[in-house]
Amino acid sequence: MDLTAKADFIATAKILSVNKDSENEDIHNIQIEILELFKGPKVDSLKLHSRLNSSCGFYTPINTTWLIFAYQEKGGKLSFGYCSGSETMSKKWDSELHSRKYSKAELDKLNASYLDKVKSKIEVLEYLREHKIKPINEFDLKPHFIDDCIQNIRGFDEKTERFSLLELTVNEDLSIQKVLALKEFENEELALSLMECVKSKILVSAGKDKAIPNKSKMIIELYYYPANGKMASFISQYFL
């Protein structure tokens, strides 16, 4: 949710053209066609921090589609790059490159797993947009679970929902004043266990600061992963 709160522009888009910037060799100018806009203005061009001759090299080939998280620069132009959180929706694992390690079936599974992760991110963005929820995290607060309570929520059968959204009201001293469910799991026992865990076992930090100037709010998302073979279903803060 940090990326969603911080980004000035979020959309799925098709790359129409990519051209070198005449003033900066580390930047490309790209033309895009927005497929689905989640946040920010409707634009048809972005700056790409490519840095092709460095370890941070990043490129968006023509006719590929991307989930883009972009940020406004000083001059007002929106830009993104390797660390912006953007991900391709056109990923294909190179079977020739990986043939010595993976079979075609394994490569297909890797590709499906990756695309499912991107799809999950888009589902969260669609829910936020449809319900007019605007994530704000003005003090860059970070949630932390203690006593493994989130890891102990296992074995629940959730057939409908893939994620839950909870809004935390954080006091100046970083204590939690209130937890509000914006989107719950359908399994009531799972939803109750999760709420009890968050209310009693979550801490919030603000970097090295011991307090924040005023009361604030933040939204956390929690993801459901179904049972897989001998591994029981579980909840995670992260896309896996």
Coordinates of all heavy atoms in Angstrom, one line a residue, residues 71-146:
Y71 N 6.0 8.9 -10.6 CA 6.1 10.0 -9.5 C 6.5 11.3 -10.2 O 7.2 11.3 -11.2 CB 7.2 9.6 -8.5 CG 6.9 8.3 -7.9 CD1 7.3 7.1 -8.5 CD2 6.3 8.2 -6.7 CE1 7.1 5.8 -8.0 CE2 6.0 6.9 -6.1 CZ 6.4 5.8 -6.8 OH 6.1 4.6 -6.2
Q72 N 5.9 12.4 -9.7 CA 6.1 13.7 -10.3 C 7.5 14.3 -9.9 O 7.9 14.3 -8.7 CB 5.0 14.7 -9.8 CG 5.0 15.9 -10.6 CD 3.8 16.8 -10.3 OE1 3.5 17.1 -9.1 NE2 3.0 17.1 -11.3
E73 N 8.3 14.7 -10.9 CA 9.5 15.3 -10.7 C 9.4 16.8 -10.5 O 8.3 17.3 -10.6 CB 10.5 15.0 -11.9 CG 10.8 13.6 -12.1 CD 11.7 13.3 -13.3 OE1 11.8 14.2 -14.2 OE2 12.5 12.3 -13.2
K74 N 10.5 17.5 -10.2 CA 10.4 18.9 -9.9 C 9.8 19.7 -11.1 O 9.1 20.7 -10.8 CB 11.8 19.5 -9.6 CG 12.4 19.0 -8.3 CD 13.8 19.6 -8.0 CE 14.3 19.1 -6.6 NZ 15.6 19.7 -6.4
G75 N 10.1 19.3 -12.3 CA 9.5 20.1 -13.4 C 8.1 19.7 -13.7 O 7.5 20.3 -14.7
G76 N 7.5 18.8 -13.0 CA 6.1 18.5 -13.2 C 5.9 17.2 -14.0 O 4.8 16.7 -14.1
K77 N 7.0 16.7 -14.6 CA 6.9 15.5 -15.5 C 6.8 14.3 -14.7 O 7.5 14.1 -13.7 CB 8.1 15.5 -16.5 CG 7.9 14.4 -17.6 CD 6.8 14.9 -18.6 CE 6.7 13.9 -19.7 NZ 5.7 14.3 -20.7
L78 N 6.0 13.3 -15.1 CA 5.8 12.1 -14.4 C 6.9 11.1 -14.9 O 7.1 11.0 -16.1 CB 4.5 11.5 -14.6 CG 3.3 12.2 -14.0 CD1 2.0 11.7 -14.6 CD2 3.3 12.0 -12.5
S79 N 7.5 10.4 -14.0 CA 8.6 9.5 -14.3 C 8.5 8.2 -13.5 O 8.0 8.2 -12.4 CB 10.0 10.1 -14.2 OG 10.2 10.4 -12.8
F80 N 9.2 7.1 -14.1 CA 9.3 5.9 -13.3 C 10.5 5.2 -13.7 O 11.2 5.6 -14.7 CB 8.0 5.0 -13.5 CG 7.9 4.4 -14.9 CD1 8.2 3.1 -15.1 CD2 7.5 5.2 -16.0 CE1 8.1 2.5 -16.4 CE2 7.3 4.6 -17.3 CZ 7.6 3.3 -17.5
G81 N 10.9 4.1 -13.0 CA 12.1 3.4 -13.3 C 12.2 2.1 -12.5 O 11.2 1.6 -12.1
Y82 N 13.4 1.6 -12.3 CA 13.6 0.3 -11.8 C 13.0 0.1 -10.4 O 12.5 -0.9 -10.1 CB 15.2 0.0 -11.7 CG 15.5 -1.3 -11.2 CD1 15.4 -2.5 -12.0 CD2 16.0 -1.5 -9.9 CE1 15.8 -3.7 -11.5 CE2 16.4 -2.7 -9.4 CZ 16.3 -3.8 -10.2 OH 16.6 -5.1 -9.7
C83 N 13.1 1.1 -9.6 CA 12.7 1.0 -8.2 C 11.3 1.7 -7.9 O 10.9 1.9 -6.8 CB 13.7 1.7 -7.3 SG 15.3 0.9 -7.3
S84 N 10.6 2.0 -9.0 CA 9.3 2.7 -8.8 C 8.1 1.7 -8.4 O 7.1 2.1 -8.0 CB 8.9 3.4 -10.1 OG 8.5 2.5 -11.1
G85 N 8.4 0.4 -8.6 CA 7.3 -0.6 -8.3 C 6.5 -1.0 -9.6 O 5.7 -1.9 -9.5
S86 N 6.9 -0.5 -10.7 CA 6.2 -0.9 -12.0 C 6.6 -2.3 -12.4 O 7.7 -2.8 -12.1 CB 6.6 0.1 -13.1 OG 6.3 1.4 -12.7
E87 N 5.6 -3.0 -13.0 CA 5.9 -4.4 -13.4 C 5.3 -4.6 -14.7 O 4.2 -4.1 -15.1 CB 5.3 -5.3 -12.4 CG 5.9 -5.2 -11.0 CD 5.5 -6.4 -10.1 OE1 5.9 -7.5 -10.4 OE2 4.8 -6.2 -9.1
T88 N 5.9 -5.4 -15.5 CA 5.4 -5.8 -16.9 C 4.3 -6.8 -16.7 O 4.3 -7.6 -15.8 CB 6.5 -6.4 -17.7 OG1 5.9 -6.7 -19.0 CG2 7.1 -7.6 -17.1
M89 N 3.3 -6.6 -17.6 CA 2.2 -7.6 -17.7 C 2.4 -8.5 -19.0 O 1.5 -9.2 -19.3 CB 0.9 -6.8 -17.8 CG 0.6 -6.0 -16.6 SD -0.8 -4.8 -16.9 CE -2.1 -6.0 -17.1
S90 N 3.6 -8.3 -19.6 CA 3.9 -9.1 -20.8 C 5.0 -10.1 -20.6 O 5.7 -10.5 -21.5 CB 4.2 -8.1 -22.0 OG 3.2 -7.2 -22.2
K91 N 5.3 -10.4 -19.3 CA 6.4 -11.2 -19.0 C 6.3 -12.6 -19.6 O 5.3 -13.3 -19.5 CB 6.6 -11.3 -17.5 CG 7.9 -11.9 -17.0 CD 8.0 -11.9 -15.5 CE 9.4 -12.3 -15.0 NZ 10.5 -11.3 -15.3
K92 N 7.4 -13.0 -20.2 CA 7.5 -14.4 -20.7 C 8.9 -14.9 -20.3 O 9.9 -14.4 -20.6 CB 7.4 -14.5 -22.2 CG 6.0 -14.1 -22.8 CD 5.0 -15.1 -22.4 CE 3.6 -14.7 -23.0 NZ 2.6 -15.7 -22.6
W93 N 8.9 -16.0 -19.5 CA 10.2 -16.6 -19.1 C 10.8 -17.1 -20.3 O 10.2 -17.9 -21.1 CB 10.0 -17.6 -18.0 CG 9.4 -17.1 -16.7 CD1 8.1 -17.0 -16.3 CD2 10.2 -16.4 -15.7 NE1 8.0 -16.4 -15.1 CE2 9.3 -16.0 -14.7 CE3 11.6 -16.2 -15.5 CZ2 9.7 -15.4 -13.5 CZ3 11.9 -15.5 -14.4 CH2 11.0 -15.1 -13.4
D94 N 12.1 -16.8 -20.5 CA 12.9 -17.2 -21.7 C 13.2 -18.7 -21.5 O 14.1 -19.1 -20.8 CB 14.1 -16.4 -21.8 CG 14.8 -16.6 -23.1 OD1 14.7 -17.7 -23.6 OD2 15.5 -15.7 -23.5
S95 N 12.5 -19.5 -22.3 CA 12.7 -21.0 -22.2 C 14.1 -21.4 -22.6 O 14.7 -22.4 -22.0 CB 11.7 -21.7 -23.0 OG 11.8 -21.3 -24.4
E96 N 14.7 -20.7 -23.5 CA 16.1 -21.0 -24.0 C 17.1 -20.7 -22.9 O 18.0 -21.5 -22.6 CB 16.4 -20.3 -25.2 CG 17.8 -20.6 -25.8 CD 18.0 -19.9 -27.1 OE1 17.1 -19.5 -27.8 OE2 19.2 -19.7 -27.5
L97 N 16.9 -19.5 -22.2 CA 17.8 -19.1 -21.2 C 17.7 -20.0 -20.0 O 18.7 -20.3 -19.3 CB 17.4 -17.7 -20.8 CG 18.3 -17.0 -19.6 CD1 19.7 -16.9 -20.1 CD2 17.7 -15.7 -19.2
H98 N 16.5 -20.5 -19.7 CA 16.3 -21.3 -18.4 C 16.2 -22.8 -18.7 O 15.9 -23.6 -17.8 CB 15.0 -20.8 -17.7 CG 15.1 -19.4 -17.2 ND1 15.8 -19.1 -16.1 CD2 14.6 -18.3 -17.7 CE1 15.7 -17.8 -15.9 NE2 15.0 -17.3 -16.8
S99 N 16.4 -23.2 -19.9 CA 16.2 -24.6 -20.3 C 17.0 -25.6 -19.5 O 16.7 -26.7 -19.3 CB 16.5 -24.8 -21.8 OG 17.8 -24.5 -22.1
R100 N 18.2 -25.2 -19.0 CA 19.1 -26.1 -18.3 C 18.6 -26.2 -16.8 O 19.0 -27.2 -16.2 CB 20.5 -25.5 -18.3 CG 21.2 -25.5 -19.6 CD 22.6 -24.9 -19.6 NE 23.2 -24.8 -20.9 CZ 24.4 -24.4 -21.1 NH1 25.2 -24.1 -20.0 NH2 24.9 -24.4 -22.3
K101 N 17.7 -25.3 -16.4 CA 17.3 -25.4 -15.0 C 15.8 -25.8 -14.9 O 15.4 -26.5 -14.0 CB 17.4 -24.0 -14.3 CG 18.9 -23.6 -14.1 CD 18.9 -22.3 -13.3 CE 20.3 -21.9 -12.9 NZ 20.4 -20.7 -12.1
Y102 N 15.0 -25.4 -15.9 CA 13.5 -25.6 -15.8 C 13.0 -26.3 -17.0 O 13.4 -26.1 -18.1 CB 12.8 -24.3 -15.6 CG 13.3 -23.4 -14.4 CD1 14.1 -22.3 -14.6 CD2 12.9 -23.8 -13.1 CE1 14.6 -21.6 -13.5 CE2 13.3 -23.0 -12.1 CZ 14.1 -21.9 -12.3 OH 14.6 -21.2 -11.2
S103 N 12.0 -27.1 -16.8 CA 11.2 -27.7 -17.9 C 10.2 -26.7 -18.4 O 10.0 -25.7 -17.7 CB 10.5 -29.0 -17.4 OG 9.5 -28.6 -16.4
K104 N 9.6 -27.0 -19.5 CA 8.6 -26.1 -20.0 C 7.4 -25.9 -19.1 O 6.9 -24.8 -18.9 CB 8.1 -26.6 -21.4 CG 7.0 -25.6 -22.0 CD 6.5 -26.2 -23.3 CE 5.6 -25.2 -24.0 NZ 4.4 -24.9 -23.1
A105 N 7.0 -27.0 -18.4 CA 5.9 -27.0 -17.5 C 6.3 -26.1 -16.3 O 5.4 -25.3 -15.8 CB 5.6 -28.4 -17.0
E106 N 7.6 -26.2 -15.8 CA 8.0 -25.3 -14.7 C 8.0 -23.8 -15.1 O 7.6 -23.0 -14.3 CB 9.4 -25.8 -14.2 CG 9.3 -27.1 -13.5 CD 10.7 -27.6 -13.2 OE1 11.6 -27.4 -14.0 OE2 10.9 -28.3 -12.2
L107 N 8.5 -23.6 -16.4 CA 8.5 -22.2 -16.9 C 7.1 -21.7 -17.0 O 6.8 -20.5 -16.6 CB 9.2 -22.1 -18.2 CG 10.7 -22.4 -18.2 CD1 11.3 -22.5 -19.6 CD2 11.4 -21.2 -17.5
D108 N 6.2 -22.5 -17.5 CA 4.8 -22.1 -17.6 C 4.2 -21.7 -16.2 O 3.4 -20.8 -16.0 CB 3.9 -23.1 -18.2 CG 4.2 -23.3 -19.7 OD1 4.8 -22.4 -20.3 OD2 3.8 -24.3 -20.3
K109 N 4.6 -22.5 -15.2 CA 4.1 -22.3 -13.8 C 4.7 -21.0 -13.3 O 4.0 -20.2 -12.6 CB 4.5 -23.5 -12.9 CG 3.9 -23.4 -11.5 CD 4.2 -24.7 -10.7 CE 3.7 -24.6 -9.3 NZ 4.0 -25.8 -8.5
L110 N 5.9 -20.7 -13.5 CA 6.6 -19.5 -13.1 C 5.9 -18.3 -13.7 O 5.6 -17.3 -13.0 CB 8.0 -19.5 -13.5 CG 9.0 -20.3 -12.6 CD1 10.4 -20.3 -13.3 CD2 9.1 -19.7 -11.2
N111 N 5.6 -18.4 -15.0 CA 4.9 -17.3 -15.7 C 3.5 -17.0 -15.2 O 3.1 -15.9 -14.9 CB 4.9 -17.6 -17.2 CG 4.4 -16.4 -18.0 OD1 5.0 -15.3 -17.9 ND2 3.4 -16.6 -18.8
A112 N 2.8 -18.1 -14.9 CA 1.4 -18.0 -14.4 C 1.4 -17.4 -13.0 O 0.6 -16.6 -12.7 CB 0.7 -19.4 -14.4
S113 N 2.4 -17.8 -12.2 CA 2.5 -17.3 -10.8 C 2.8 -15.8 -10.8 O 2.2 -15.0 -10.1 CB 3.6 -18.1 -10.1 OG 3.8 -17.5 -8.8
Y114 N 3.7 -15.4 -11.7 CA 4.1 -14.0 -11.8 C 2.9 -13.1 -12.2 O 2.5 -12.1 -11.6 CB 5.2 -13.8 -12.8 CG 5.5 -12.3 -13.1 CD1 6.3 -11.5 -12.2 CD2 4.9 -11.7 -14.2 CE1 6.5 -10.2 -12.5 CE2 5.1 -10.4 -14.5 CZ 5.9 -9.6 -13.6 OH 6.1 -8.3 -13.9
L115 N 2.2 -13.6 -13.3 CA 1.0 -12.8 -13.8 C -0.1 -12.8 -12.8 O -0.8 -11.8 -12.7 CB 0.5 -13.4 -15.1 CG 1.5 -13.3 -16.3 CD1 1.0 -14.0 -17.5 CD2 1.8 -11.8 -16.6
D116 N -0.2 -13.9 -12.0 CA -1.3 -13.9 -10.9 C -0.9 -12.8 -9.9 O -1.9 -12.2 -9.3 CB -1.4 -15.3 -10.3 CG -2.5 -15.4 -9.3 OD1 -3.7 -15.2 -9.8 OD2 -2.3 -15.6 -8.1
K117 N 0.3 -12.7 -9.6 CA 0.7 -11.6 -8.6 C 0.4 -10.2 -9.1 O -0.1 -9.4 -8.3 CB 2.2 -11.7 -8.3 CG 2.7 -10.8 -7.3 CD 4.2 -10.9 -7.0 CE 5.0 -10.3 -8.0 NZ 6.5 -10.2 -7.6
V118 N 0.7 -10.0 -10.4 CA 0.3 -8.7 -10.9 C -1.2 -8.5 -10.9 O -1.7 -7.4 -10.6 CB 0.9 -8.5 -12.4 CG1 0.5 -7.2 -13.0 CG2 2.4 -8.6 -12.3
K119 N -1.9 -9.5 -11.3 CA -3.4 -9.5 -11.3 C -3.9 -9.1 -9.9 O -4.9 -8.4 -9.7 CB -4.0 -10.8 -11.7 CG -5.5 -10.8 -11.8 CD -6.0 -12.2 -12.2 CE -7.5 -12.2 -12.2 NZ -8.1 -13.6 -12.5
S120 N -3.3 -9.7 -8.8 CA -3.7 -9.4 -7.5 C -3.5 -8.0 -7.1 O -4.4 -7.3 -6.5 CB -2.9 -10.3 -6.5 OG -3.2 -11.7 -6.7
K121 N -2.4 -7.4 -7.6 CA -2.2 -6.0 -7.3 C -3.2 -5.1 -8.0 O -3.7 -4.1 -7.5 CB -0.8 -5.6 -7.8 CG 0.4 -6.1 -7.0 CD 1.7 -5.6 -7.5 CE 2.8 -6.1 -6.7 NZ 4.1 -5.6 -7.1
I122 N -3.6 -5.5 -9.2 CA -4.6 -4.7 -10.0 C -6.0 -4.9 -9.3 O -6.7 -3.9 -9.2 CB -4.7 -5.2 -11.4 CG1 -3.4 -4.8 -12.2 CG2 -5.9 -4.7 -12.2 CD1 -3.2 -5.4 -13.6
E123 N -6.3 -6.0 -8.8 CA -7.6 -6.2 -8.1 C -7.7 -5.3 -6.9 O -8.7 -4.7 -6.6 CB -7.7 -7.7 -7.6 CG -8.0 -8.6 -8.7 CD -8.1 -10.1 -8.3 OE1 -7.9 -10.3 -7.1 OE2 -8.4 -10.9 -9.1
V124 N -6.6 -5.1 -6.1 CA -6.5 -4.2 -5.0 C -6.8 -2.7 -5.5 O -7.6 -2.0 -4.9 CB -5.2 -4.3 -4.2 CG1 -5.2 -3.2 -3.1 CG2 -5.0 -5.6 -3.6
L125 N -6.1 -2.4 -6.6 CA -6.2 -1.0 -7.1 C -7.7 -0.8 -7.6 O -8.2 0.3 -7.4 CB -5.3 -0.8 -8.3 CG -3.8 -0.7 -7.9 CD1 -2.9 -0.9 -9.1 CD2 -3.5 0.5 -7.1
E126 N -8.3 -1.8 -8.2 CA -9.6 -1.6 -8.7 C -10.6 -1.4 -7.5 O -11.5 -0.6 -7.6 CB -10.0 -2.8 -9.5 CG -9.4 -2.9 -10.9 CD -9.6 -4.2 -11.7 OE1 -10.0 -5.2 -11.0 OE2 -9.5 -4.1 -12.9
Y127 N -10.4 -2.2 -6.5 CA -11.2 -2.1 -5.3 C -11.1 -0.7 -4.7 O -12.1 -0.1 -4.3 CB -10.9 -3.1 -4.2 CG -11.9 -3.2 -3.1 CD1 -13.0 -4.0 -3.2 CD2 -11.7 -2.4 -1.9 CE1 -13.9 -4.0 -2.1 CE2 -12.6 -2.4 -0.9 CZ -13.7 -3.3 -1.0 OH -14.6 -3.3 0.1
L128 N -9.9 -0.2 -4.5 CA -9.7 1.2 -4.0 C -10.4 2.2 -4.8 O -11.0 3.1 -4.3 CB -8.2 1.5 -3.9 CG -7.4 0.6 -2.9 CD1 -5.9 0.9 -3.1 CD2 -7.8 0.9 -1.5
R129 N -10.3 2.1 -6.1 CA -10.9 3.1 -7.0 C -12.4 3.0 -6.9 O -13.1 4.0 -6.8 CB -10.4 2.8 -8.4 CG -11.0 3.8 -9.5 CD -10.6 3.4 -10.9 NE -11.1 2.1 -11.2 CZ -10.8 1.4 -12.3 NH1 -9.8 1.9 -13.1 NH2 -11.3 0.2 -12.5
E130 N -13.0 1.8 -7.0 CA -14.4 1.6 -7.0 C -15.1 2.1 -5.7 O -16.2 2.5 -5.7 CB -14.8 0.2 -7.3 CG -14.4 -0.3 -8.7 CD -14.5 -1.8 -8.9 OE1 -15.0 -2.5 -8.0 OE2 -14.1 -2.3 -10.0
H131 N -14.4 2.0 -4.6 CA -14.9 2.3 -3.3 C -14.4 3.7 -2.8 O -14.6 4.1 -1.7 CB -14.6 1.3 -2.3 CG -15.3 0.0 -2.5 ND1 -14.9 -0.9 -3.5 CD2 -16.5 -0.5 -2.0 CE1 -15.8 -2.0 -3.5 NE2 -16.7 -1.7 -2.6
K132 N -13.7 4.4 -3.8 CA -13.2 5.8 -3.5 C -12.4 5.8 -2.2 O -12.5 6.7 -1.4 CB -14.4 6.7 -3.4 CG -15.2 6.9 -4.7 CD -16.3 7.9 -4.6 CE -16.9 8.2 -5.9 NZ -17.5 7.1 -6.6
I133 N -11.5 4.8 -2.1 CA -10.6 4.8 -0.9 C -9.3 5.3 -1.4 O -8.7 4.9 -2.4 CB -10.4 3.3 -0.4 CG1 -11.8 2.8 0.1 CG2 -9.4 3.3 0.7 CD1 -11.7 1.3 0.4
K134 N -8.8 6.4 -0.7 CA -7.5 7.0 -1.1 C -6.5 6.8 0.0 O -6.5 7.4 1.0 CB -7.7 8.5 -1.3 CG -8.6 8.8 -2.5 CD -8.7 10.3 -2.7 CE -9.6 10.6 -3.9 NZ -9.7 12.1 -4.2
P135 N -5.6 5.8 -0.2 CA -4.5 5.5 0.8 C -3.6 6.8 1.0 O -3.2 7.4 0.0 CB -3.7 4.4 0.1 CG -4.7 3.8 -0.9 CD -5.5 4.9 -1.4
I136 N -3.5 7.1 2.3 CA -2.6 8.2 2.6 C -1.7 7.7 3.8 O -2.2 7.1 4.7 CB -3.4 9.5 3.1 CG1 -4.3 10.0 2.0 CG2 -2.4 10.6 3.6 CD1 -5.2 11.1 2.4
N137 N -0.4 8.0 3.6 CA 0.5 7.6 4.7 C 1.6 8.7 4.8 O 2.7 8.6 4.4 CB 1.2 6.3 4.4 CG 2.0 5.7 5.5 OD1 2.2 6.4 6.5 ND2 2.4 4.5 5.4
E138 N 1.1 9.9 5.3 CA 1.9 11.1 5.3 C 3.2 11.0 6.1 O 4.2 11.7 5.8 CB 1.1 12.3 5.8 CG 0.6 12.2 7.2 CD -0.2 13.4 7.6 OE1 0.3 14.5 7.3 OE2 -1.2 13.2 8.4
F139 N 3.3 10.1 7.0 CA 4.5 10.0 7.9 C 5.3 8.7 7.6 O 6.2 8.4 8.3 CB 4.2 10.1 9.3 CG 3.5 11.4 9.7 CD1 2.2 11.3 10.2 CD2 4.1 12.6 9.6 CE1 1.5 12.5 10.5 CE2 3.4 13.8 9.9 CZ 2.1 13.7 10.4
D140 N 5.0 8.1 6.5 CA 5.7 6.8 6.1 C 5.8 5.8 7.2 O 6.8 5.2 7.5 CB 7.1 7.2 5.6 CG 7.8 6.0 4.8 OD1 7.0 5.2 4.2 OD2 9.0 6.0 4.7
L141 N 4.6 5.6 7.8 CA 4.5 4.6 8.9 C 4.6 3.2 8.4 O 4.2 2.8 7.3 CB 3.1 4.8 9.6 CG 2.8 6.2 10.1 CD1 1.4 6.3 10.6 CD2 3.8 6.6 11.2
K142 N 5.3 2.3 9.2 CA 5.5 0.9 8.9 C 4.8 0.0 9.9 O 5.1 0.2 11.1 CB 7.0 0.6 8.8 CG 7.8 1.5 7.8 CD 7.4 1.3 6.4 CE 8.3 2.1 5.5 NZ 7.9 2.0 4.0
P143 N 4.0 -0.9 9.5 CA 3.4 -1.8 10.5 C 4.2 -3.1 10.7 O 4.9 -3.5 9.8 CB 2.1 -2.2 9.8 CG 2.4 -2.1 8.3 CD 3.4 -1.1 8.2
H144 N 4.3 -3.6 11.9 CA 5.0 -4.7 12.3 C 4.2 -5.6 13.2 O 3.7 -5.2 14.2 CB 6.3 -4.4 13.0 CG 7.1 -3.3 12.3 ND1 8.0 -3.6 11.3 CD2 7.2 -2.0 12.5 CE1 8.6 -2.5 10.9 NE2 8.1 -1.5 11.6
F145 N 4.1 -6.9 12.9 CA 3.4 -7.9 13.7 C 4.4 -8.5 14.7 O 5.5 -8.8 14.4 CB 2.7 -9.0 12.9 CG 1.5 -8.5 12.2 CD1 1.5 -8.1 10.9 CD2 0.2 -8.5 12.8 CE1 0.4 -7.6 10.2 CE2 -0.9 -8.0 12.2 CZ -0.8 -7.6 10.9
I146 N 3.9 -8.7 15.9 CA 4.7 -9.3 17.0 C 4.2 -10.7 17.3 O 3.0 -11.0 17.1 CB 4.9 -8.4 18.2 CG1 3.5 -8.1 18.8 CG2 5.6 -7.1 17.8 CD1 3.6 -7.4 20.1

